[in-house]
Amino acid sequence: MMEVRLQAQEDEITLLKSSLADALRRLRLHDQLLPLLKQQLIAVNPAAARVLNQVCCSDGCTSSRKLSSSSAVDGIRQTAPSQLSDIVTNANGHIGSPVSTEPRPRPATLDRSTQTDPILPGQDAGQNRVPLPRRVQSLHLEDALLPGQPVEGTRAKLHRVPGMEEEDEEQEEDEGGGAEQEKELSWTSSVEEPIQPTTIRGLQREDFQDGSCSPEEQGSASPSVRTPDQNLSPRCGPLAPIQEVEKTPLVRRNSEKLGNPERQRKRLDKKAASSANLLTRSPSLENRAKELIASAGSPGSRRGTYSQGQSIKMFIRGRPITMYIPSNIQNYEDLKMEPPSERLELDWVYGYRGRDCRANLYFLPTGEAVYFIACVIVLYHINNRTQRHYRKHTDCVRCLTVHPDKVRVASGQTAGVDKDGKPLQPCVHIWDSTSLVTLQQIGLGTFQRGVGSVAFSFADSGVFLCVIDDSNEHMLSVWDCNKCTKHAEVKSTNEAVFAVEFNPSDSTNIITCGKSHVYFWTLNAGQFTKKQGIFGKYKKPKFIQCFVFSLTGDVLTGDSEGNILTWGKSAADTKTLGKGAKETFQIMRQTRAHEGSVFTLCTLQGGALLSGGGKDRKIIRWSADLAPERECEIPEKFGAVRTIADVDGEELLVGTTRNAILRGTFSDGFVAIVQGHVDEMWGLATHPSQNIFLTCGHDRQVCLWNTEEHTVDWSISLEDYGLCAGFCPNGSVVSVGLNTGRWMVLDLLTREVVSESIDGNEQLSVMRYSPDGSFLAVGSHDNFIYIYNVTESGRRYTRFGKCNGHSSFITHLDWSKDGKYIMSNSGDYEILYWDIASGCKLLRNRFDSKDREWASYTCVLGFHVMGVWLEGSDGTDINALCRSHSERVVAVADDFCKVHLFQYPCPKLKAPSHKYEGHGSHVTNVCFTHSDSHLLSMGGKDTCILQWKVIGGGAPDSRERLASASSTSTSSPEPATS
C-alpha cells in the first residue's frame, strides 16, 4: 500500500510539473504575441474587430453551430480601421479592451506547492474554469504569416499543416525537450508583414471546431457577469491567457488522452522537462517563472513587473523567498559586508546545574565557589560577588573535582554533536584555577558519549586521575596526570555509575557506586580486580547515591532508602561463599538518616559528617560516631539538597536540585546566592528603561532579574508554562504568553495580574507592544496575530482586530516606528506585512514595505538580516535575533549552541560575524538591554542565561553605513567569518 501511495504521489508530481510546463509555454506565447499584435494588427482589414469580438468560449456550448469561413472573410472586409484597436490584447490578456500598461498581477494559488495560470479578475479560486480549445492553446505566431514567408530570428523552420495539431502534441510528448526546442520559435519585432485575413479565419475555425460557440448563443450578458446556469469565461478570444485549471480535471484530461499509465508518466516527464528549454530561451519568461514559483507560498501575493535589481531571492529548504531592496541601495552587488566593530565579552552566568549532576560544587582557598552550567565553569567569589569563567569546554560540562593542592581542577564534558549531527570527542581538562590556563587534556578520542565522573588520587598528592565514561560498559580508567597516559582500564558495569573516589590512604584502592551496587576495586600492575559490597541481611537499596571515607578508614554510603551504611572488611563466610573465599566488604552498621534519598555526604575537618536529604530537604550534622547533632531544612522552592561544600566548618554552600546555590549556617539559615531555571526557557524580554529583564520557561517560573546586581528581584509560579514576554513601553507592566493560548499582564512592583485574556487554544509565541504602547500584538500558533487596544497605562486591554493570512504558526513580529504596521514571520518562512491602523489589513504588495522603518527587528526573515543565514539552512537553524537599539549590530541565537554578532544591516548572504560559545544547548532567545550595554542570551535545555558585555563600537549608524556601502564599488573579497 505504501508503494502504491508513493507511486500515486509521484504521478501527481509529474502531472503538476507538466501543468507548469504548459503554463510556461502559454506565458511565452503571450510575451511574443502582445508587442506584435500591438504593432501589426492595426494594418489588417478592420473587419477583424467585429469577427474576433464574436469568438467566446462557454461550457454550455457545442460544436453544432459554426461560423462559416466565408462569413468571416466578409466580416473582415467590412470592418472599419478605427475599430481594430478594440482587438488589441492588453497586459492582462483581454481582447476587446484598450491596451494597458499596468503591472500584471501575480496570480493566486490553488495549491501552495504549485502555481499554474492566472486567476481572472472577479473570478473566485474555487469556480470552474473553461480551458481554451487545444488548437488555440498551441497557437504560434507563424500562423499569422503568409505561407512560405521567412521568419527572422527563428531557430528552426516549422509550418503548421491543418489537421496536424494532434500529431504535433504526440511528437512533443514523445521527444520531450528536443522536440520542444525545435517547435518553439524566437520572434522579434522585426516582423513587419501584416497578419492576413486567412489567419483570422483559421483562428475562428479552430475555436469553433473545439466546441465553443458564438456570442449569439451565449446571450447578451456581459462576459464578466455569470448567470447560475452559465459558467462563462470573463476573457474572450483565442489569444486570452489560459485560465488556472483545477487539479482533478487536469488529471482526468491527461489520463484520457494518454491511456497507459506508464506511458503517461513517461510522456509527462519529458513534457515537464521541456520547461527548462523554455526558461533558457526567454529571459522575461524566466523571470516570470521565478516569480510564479516564489508566489506559491503566499496566497495574497501578486505577480509584479519589477525591474531587475529591485529584489533578490534567498532559498530555505529549496523554497525561494523574495526580498525587496530598499530604495537607498543603488548597487546591491557592491555592498561590502564586514564583521561589526562591536564585540561581546562574557560578563555573568546565571544558573547552576544541580538538577541532574552530583558532586559539582567546591569551595577554593581563594574564597571562590567553583561550579558549572552549560559549557562554562564558574568561579564565583562569594564575598566580592564577582565571577570568573573557564570556557575551554566545547560542550556541556558533566563532572568536576579539585586536586589535593586546591589549585588544579579537573572537569569532564559530554561528547555532543556538531552542526552536521556528527558526534564530537569528549575529554577531561585539567586546568589552573588561578590563571584559568589549561594544563592537560586527557582522553581525547578515548571516552564514549561523555565523561560522567572524575577523581584525583590523594595518597600520592594527585598523581593519578580516575575517569568513568558514559558508554554502555561505563569504562573505568586511570591516567597519569603528568604524562597524560592511560595507566589502566576496565569495564565497570552496565548500570549507572554516580561516583568514583580513590581511597585517601591508598591509591591502589578505588570505589564506585551507582544503581544497586557499590564496588571496591584494587589496581595492581595495571590490572583491576573487583569486589562487590555484600548487603547480607540488609535491604538492598535501588541506588547508592554517594559515599565518603571516614577518619577511621571506613566507607560511608548514602542510599535511596534514606540510610547511611558503614562498610568494612571482614573475613569471608566460608559457609556461604565456599572454601577459599577471601575477605569481603560488608555492612557494619546502618543509620537511619533522612526521609527519601541521601543525596550527598560531606566530611568536616574534625571528623564530623554532613548529610543532605532529598524528600525532607534537611541538612544534618553527625558526630564522628554518627550521632545526630544539628539539623536544618532548606526552603521548599529551592528543591532538595544535591551537594554540600564546607566553607569554614560553620558556613556552608549548598547546591540544590532546583539549580540554586545557598549560603548559610545552621543557626542563621540559608539564602540563595545563585538561582536559575530548571527546564527549557524561551521567553525573554528586557525593560525599556531599567537594567532588568524577565524570563519564563517550561518550569512554570517567571523571574525578574537585575543585570547590575546579578540577582533575582522576584519570581512567581504559574499554572502553565510561559513561552514569550514583552514589556509595555512605559515599563510598569509586562505581558507573558503561555502555552495554552492564555496570556496575562503582571505589575512589576506588586507582581499582581492586572489583566488576563485567552486567544485560541494553542501556544503563544510572541508578545509585542507598539512603540507608543497603544497596541499589543499577540502571535499564536493558530496562525493568527491578535491585536489589542491598550489603555490605562497598560492595565486595560480590548480586542481591536485579528490578522488573518498566515498559513503556519507565527514565529516573530515587529512594529513599524510609526506604530501603524506590523511585519511578521511564520513557520513556513512567510514574510507578511499588515496595516493595523486600517483594520489589520494584509498588505498584498510587499514591495511597498521595502522602505518602511521598524521600531524593533526580531524577525529572522527580512532583507536587512538576510546575511545571518548559513548556506543550506533548513529554516530552523536560527531561533531568534535582535537588533540593537542603536541599529548598529544584530545578535543571532542559533540551533548549534552559538551566539553570533553581525553588522546591521547585513543583507548579503555569507555575511561575516563574531561567534561566541558558552551554551550547551540550542540558544532560544537573545535580547539587548535598553542602553545596548549588554546582550542577554538564553539556552534551551541547558537552563543557562548568559549576560554579555558589548564592547567597542563607534561605527556610523545603519543608514549611513548602508548608503555609503552601496554608493561605492569595490572588488575586494568579502572578509571571512571570524
Side-chain angles (χ1 to χ4, degrees):
M1 291 180 64
M2 292 296 294
E3 291 178 354
V4 172
R5 291 179 60 186
L6 181 60
Q7 187 61 55
Q9 292 176 355
E10 291 178 352
D11 294 345
E12 183 177 2
I13 292 174
T14 304
L15 289 173
L16 294 176
K17 289 181 179 179
S18 176
S19 67
L20 178 59
D22 289 338
L24 296 178
R25 277 191 290 273
R26 296 164 193 164
L27 288 174
R28 180 176 177 271
L29 179 63
H30 282 290
D31 284 343
Q32 298 169 346
L33 287 178
L34 292 181
L36 292 173
L37 286 174
K38 181 178 179 181
Q39 297 177 13
Q40 304 299 332
L41 289 184
I42 297 178
V44 181
N45 194 314
R50 184 165 59 253
V51 175
L52 289 182
N53 282 333
Q54 296 175 356
V55 182
C56 298
C57 300
S58 172
D59 284 341
C61 297
T62 65
S63 60
S64 59
R65 298 187 181 184
K66 299 179 181 179
L67 192 62
S68 66
S69 60
S70 60
S71 62
V73 174
D74 294 339
I76 292 175
R77 290 173 179 173
Q78 298 171 5
T79 303
S82 62
Q83 297 174 338
L84 185 61
S85 61
D86 293 337
I87 70 171
V88 178
T89 306
N90 66 1
N92 286 326
H94 290 280
I95 290 183
S97 59
V99 176
S100 172
T101 60
E102 292 294 320
R104 183 173 183 174
R106 182 179 297 171
T109 57
L110 293 178
D111 189 287
R112 298 189 61 80
S113 60
T114 63
Q115 185 166 352
T116 56
D117 303 312
I119 294 178
L120 302 178
Q123 179 177 1
D124 190 77
Q127 292 175 320
N128 294 329
R129 293 160 179 79
V130 184
L132 287 178
R134 184 183 299 114
R135 297 189 181 186
V136 177
Q137 293 177 12
S138 60
L139 179 65
H140 281 256
L141 198 60
E142 65 268 21
D143 296 322
L145 301 178
L146 293 175
Q149 177 181 349
V151 180
E152 293 184 17
T154 58
R155 298 181 181 231
K157 295 182 179 180
L158 177 66
H159 301 282
R160 291 186 178 273
V161 181
M164 295 297 291
E165 287 81 359
E166 290 291 336
E167 296 179 14
D168 289 341
E169 289 187 7
E170 293 294 331
Q171 180 186 6
E172 176 185 323
E173 292 167 355
D174 291 336
E175 297 179 4
E180 183 68 23
Q181 186 171 358
E182 292 185 3
K183 291 174 59 179
E184 296 294 343
L185 306 178
S186 299
W187 297 88
T188 65
S189 59
S190 61
V191 181
E192 298 178 354
E193 291 295 326
I195 294 180
Q196 301 299 318
T198 55
T199 304
I200 305 300
R201 183 169 63 251
L203 295 180
Q204 178 188 354
R205 185 184 301 113
E206 288 182 354
D207 187 35
F208 294 141
Q209 284 176 355
D210 263 40
S212 57
C213 63
S214 64
E216 289 81 5
E217 296 171 85
Q218 299 175 6
S220 59
S222 172
S224 62
V225 180
R226 297 178 185 229
T227 60
D229 57 344
Q230 288 178 321
N231 200 8
L232 305 180
S233 169
R235 296 185 181 182
C236 300
L239 300 182
I242 309 305
Q243 299 179 24
E244 190 168 294
V245 182
E246 296 285 356
K247 292 166 70 173
T248 303
L250 176 65
V251 175
R252 183 173 63 250
R253 185 177 71 240
N254 282 279
S255 61
E256 287 175 353
K257 184 172 72 171
L258 298 177
N260 190 326
E262 198 63 37
R263 184 184 179 192
Q264 170 188 352
R265 283 193 297 272
K266 184 178 179 181
R267 289 176 174 177
L268 290 177
D269 279 332
K270 294 180 178 179
K271 192 171 185 179
S274 67
S275 62
N277 298 329
L278 291 172
L279 293 178
T280 58
R281 213 174 297 135
S282 174
S284 61
L285 185 59
E286 181 180 8
N287 293 336
R288 283 194 189 177
K290 290 182 178 179
E291 291 292 336
L292 192 71
I293 298 172
S295 61
S298 50
S301 60
R302 298 181 180 273
R303 182 187 304 173
T305 57
Y306 305 116
S307 62
Q308 185 177 6
Q310 285 189 305
S311 66
I312 187 171
K313 285 184 174 61
M314 66 173 290
F315 291 82
I316 294 183
R317 302 190 72 173
R319 173 174 178 172
I321 303 175
T322 303
M323 307 290 184
Y324 295 104
I325 301 176
S327 301
N328 62 334
I329 298 181
Q330 303 300 324
N331 303 303
Y332 173 79
E333 293 299 329
D334 295 334
L335 287 178
K336 185 178 180 181
M337 295 292 99
E338 297 179 348
S341 57
E342 293 84 350
R343 291 182 177 269
L344 300 181
E345 183 180 89
L346 186 58
D347 179 52
W348 200 265
V349 177
Y350 298 91
Y352 153 78
R353 186 167 180 172
R355 177 186 53 172
D356 58 352
C357 290
R358 295 167 171 80
N360 58 353
L361 175 64
Y362 294 88
F363 185 75
L364 301 177
T366 57
E368 295 172 309
V370 55
Y371 58 93
F372 59 79
I373 184 171
C375 303
V376 183
I377 300 177
V378 182
L379 294 94
Y380 175 57
H381 199 289
I382 61 175
N383 292 327
N384 298 340
R385 298 173 65 181
T386 58
Q387 282 187 355
R388 297 188 297 139
H389 311 104
Y390 178 78
R391 300 178 53 199
K392 299 301 182 181
H393 284 284
T394 58
D395 213 291
C396 285
V397 183
R398 289 288 313 280
C399 55
L400 185 73
T401 190
V402 177
H403 194 271
D405 63 11
K406 300 297 183 180
V407 175
R408 282 178 282 179
V409 177
S411 51
Q413 68 174 64
T414 188
V417 295
D418 62 11
K419 65 179 182 179
D420 297 323
K422 298 179 181 179
L424 299 175
Q425 296 177 331
C427 62
V428 174
H429 288 187
I430 300 178
W431 47 280
D432 189 302
S433 62
T434 304
S435 62
L436 302 182
V437 173
T438 304
L439 303 176
Q440 285 98 17
Q441 190 179 59
I442 290 180
L444 186 65
T446 302
F447 309 122
Q448 296 184 24
R449 298 180 185 169
V451 178
S453 301
V454 290
F456 281 109
S457 59
F458 282 82
D460 50 18
S461 300
V463 173
F464 295 104
L465 178 73
C466 183
V467 181
I468 295 182
D469 70 7
D470 289 332
S471 63
N472 291 336
E473 296 83 10
H474 293 96
M475 300 299 295
L476 169 63
S477 57
V478 175
W479 298 76
D480 188 313
C481 295
N482 297 323
K483 300 178 182 179
C484 295
T485 57
K486 187 189 299 182
H487 187 62
E489 185 178 39
V490 68
K491 296 179 181 179
S492 63
T493 176
N494 288 331
E495 303 288 355
V497 178
F498 294 157
V500 60
E501 288 289 349
F502 283 91
N503 189 317
S505 58
D506 186 357
S507 296
T508 62
N509 292 334
I510 300 173
I511 299 177
T512 62
C513 72
K515 184 178 180 181
S516 302
H517 76 270
V518 54
Y519 292 146
F520 299 84
W521 303 85
T522 301
L523 177 60
N524 187 14
Q527 299 295 323
F528 280 104
T529 57
K530 177 179 68 174
K531 292 184 179 180
Q532 184 170 356
I534 306 300
F535 289 90
K537 63 180 181 180
Y538 298 98
K539 179 182 177 182
K540 188 175 183 179
K542 186 175 182 180
F543 297 102
I544 303 295
Q545 303 276 11
C546 56
F547 68 90
V548 293
F549 291 89
S550 68
L551 295 181
T552 60
D554 294 330
V555 176
L556 306 177
T557 62
D559 59 37
S560 55
E561 300 297 323
N563 297 319
I564 298 176
L565 303 178
T566 304
W567 297 79
K569 291 181 181 180
S570 63
D573 186 354
T574 55
K575 295 182 180 179
T576 305
L577 302 178
K579 294 182 179 180
K582 300 180 181 179
E583 63 180 8
T584 60
F585 292 89
Q586 296 184 358
I587 299 173
M588 310 298 294
R589 179 182 176 185
Q590 177 177 283
T591 305
R592 182 66 179 174
H594 293 273
E595 180 182 356
S597 292
V598 180
F599 277 140
T600 183
L601 294 172
C602 176
T603 55
L604 302 179
Q605 289 184 354
L609 179 71
L610 298 175
S611 65
K615 188 175 181 180
D616 60 9
R617 306 188 314 280
K618 289 183 178 180
I619 301 174
I620 301 177
R621 179 186 173 108
W622 306 83
S623 63
D625 57 356
L626 292 183
E629 295 180 344
R630 306 182 69 177
E631 70 175 48
C632 67
E633 183 177 323
I634 66 174
E636 182 179 2
K637 66 178 181 179
F638 297 126
V641 178
R642 175 62 77 189
T643 187
I644 300 174
D646 178 28
V647 176
D648 57 7
E650 286 291 329
E651 189 174 25
L652 305 175
L653 297 179
V654 180
T656 73
T657 56
R658 291 190 64 82
N659 292 351
I661 297 179
L662 312 180
R663 179 187 182 186
T665 63
F666 282 98
S667 56
D668 298 334
F670 292 86
V671 296
I673 59 173
V674 175
Q675 289 180 260
H677 284 271
V678 293
D679 207 343
E680 188 166 0
M681 302 177 294
W682 283 90
L684 173 65
T686 54
H687 194 275
S689 60
Q690 301 178 28
N691 293 319
I692 57 178
F693 65 97
L694 183 135
T695 59
C696 55
H698 289 195
D699 58 0
R700 297 179 171 83
Q701 297 293 313
V702 176
C703 301
L704 186 70
W705 307 78
N706 190 308
T707 61
E708 292 181 333
E709 300 296 328
H710 309 120
T711 57
V712 177
D713 286 350
W714 54 258
S715 66
I716 61 173
S717 297
L718 306 177
E719 295 179 0
D720 306 303
Y721 55 84
L723 294 173
C724 52
F727 279 93
C728 184
N730 63 22
S732 62
V733 297
V734 61
S735 59
V736 179
L738 309 179
N739 64 311
T740 58
R742 187 166 62 98
W743 56 274
M744 58 182 60
V745 181
L746 302 173
D747 185 286
L748 290 184
L749 296 179
T750 64
R751 314 176 203 174
E752 296 178 353
V753 178
V754 299
S755 180
E756 190 172 1
S757 298
I758 187 167
D759 289 311
N761 56 4
E762 297 194 44
Q763 68 184 48
L764 304 180
S765 52
V766 57
M767 311 287 292
R768 188 84 63 210
Y769 285 89
S770 61
D772 60 357
S774 59
F775 289 105
L776 172 66
V778 181
S780 171
H781 269 230
D782 63 5
N783 304 358
F784 298 132
I785 301 174
Y786 300 91
I787 307 297
Y788 283 83
N789 266 321
V790 182
T791 55
E792 298 180 9
S793 299
R795 297 176 176 271
R796 182 176 178 83
Y797 296 80
T798 54
R799 174 76 72 84
F800 175 79
K802 181 172 68 174
C803 298
N804 179 9
H806 274 293
S807 54
S808 186
F809 57 90
I810 311 301
T811 58
H812 308 85
L813 65 85
D814 291 292
W815 286 91
S816 62
K817 289 186 177 180
D818 58 11
K820 296 180 180 180
Y821 302 93
I822 281 180
M823 168 177 57
S824 57
N825 293 167
S826 60
D828 58 352
Y829 324 127
E830 273 186 335
I831 309 172
L832 296 185
Y833 299 89
W834 312 86
D835 187 345
I836 303 302
S838 299
C840 305
K841 179 183 177 182
L842 174 63
L843 300 177
R844 297 185 179 274
N845 191 350
R846 296 193 295 115
F847 180 79
D848 293 341
S849 299
K850 63 186 176 65
D851 293 328
R852 193 159 285 126
E853 295 186 347
W854 302 100
S856 63
Y857 213 118
T858 62
C859 287
V860 297
L861 293 175
F863 173 81
H864 293 82
V865 295
M866 189 166 55
V868 306
W869 290 89
L870 297 175
E871 189 174 2
S873 296
D874 70 350
T876 62
D877 293 344
I878 294 179
N879 297 313
L881 64 78
C882 181
R883 183 191 68 189
S884 64
H885 298 86
S886 65
E887 302 187 14
R888 298 176 187 271
V889 293
V890 57
V892 174
D894 72 12
D895 228 26
F896 311 114
C897 315
K898 305 295 189 298
V899 175
H900 298 260
L901 198 65
F902 288 88
Q903 164 190 303
Y904 180 86
C906 51
K908 297 196 71 172
L909 298 177
K910 300 181 181 179
S913 68
H914 301 308
K915 181 173 62 177
Y916 301 94
E917 302 177 344
H919 286 287
S921 173
H922 53 290
V923 187
T924 57
N925 217 332
V926 287
C927 199
F928 285 95
T929 57
H930 70 97
S931 61
D932 290 336
S933 62
H934 292 83
L935 173 74
L936 296 156
S937 63
M938 192 162 60
K941 292 295 185 181
D942 65 13
T943 69
C944 177
I945 304 170
L946 300 182
Q947 178 175 310
W948 308 85
K949 184 178 180 181
V950 181
I951 58 178
D957 63 29
S958 61
R959 281 171 290 186
E960 294 176 1
R961 183 166 54 225
L962 198 60
S964 61
S966 62
S967 61
T968 59
S969 175
T970 177
S971 60
S972 60
E974 294 180 3
T977 303
S978 60

